[in-house]
Amino acid sequence: MKNIDELYRDVVSWIGKLILKDQIWLRDVPQEIRQSSATIYICAFRASRSGSCCKFLSDVQVLCDDIIMLYDTDTKKKAQLITLLSDTLQLSNYKGDERFETFKKNMHEKLLHELHNYEYAHGKQLRAKIRKYQAEKGVGSIP
């Protein structure tokens, strides 16, 4: 007999397959389930990557709305979703598309602030790791 964690993984996997087969959209999945697993968002972004920019942006908007709903309630989950949002925006196939660029410019102010903080903090961490590596290897430094 499966325990609750195994059942949960099975449900998330099943939902992911339905999304990838375009049988359901991200917005069709209950918010509590979406927010509990980044895998569901990732499946939606993979499915929409081969579709239209509008579908992709619809899925990204669902992620944005879910982050806003978590704003004051669950900082760990919110941090995971902010990371996913940042990665999704950075790796998007739609960079340069007018709709995509407009979407990014018009994102909710709280999200823009969270993204800025995330990217600033991770930039500092990356620079520190590079400095450490360079010091260990005796190569030139970065600013």
Side-chain angles (χ1 to χ4, degrees), residues 80-136:
Q80 291 171 339
L81 295 181
I82 288 290
T83 300
L84 178 60
L85 178 60
S86 176
D87 293 346
T88 300
L89 295 175
Q90 294 295 322
L91 300 173
S92 170
N93 292 344
Y94 298 105
K95 284 184 178 178
D97 184 293
E98 185 178 333
R99 293 168 291 186
F100 179 73
E101 299 303 328
T102 300
F103 177 87
K104 288 190 333 185
K105 288 178 188 173
N106 294 326
M107 286 175 58
H108 194 281
E109 185 178 336
K110 289 180 183 179
L111 284 175
L112 292 173
H113 182 72
E114 290 290 334
L115 283 170
H116 172 76
N117 289 345
Y118 169 81
E119 290 166 2
Y120 177 76
H122 284 81
K124 284 179 66 175
Q125 288 176 353
L126 180 60
R127 285 189 295 280
K129 287 179 182 180
I130 291 171
R131 281 191 199 99
K132 180 180 176 187
Y133 174 81
Q134 289 173 328
E136 290 171 356

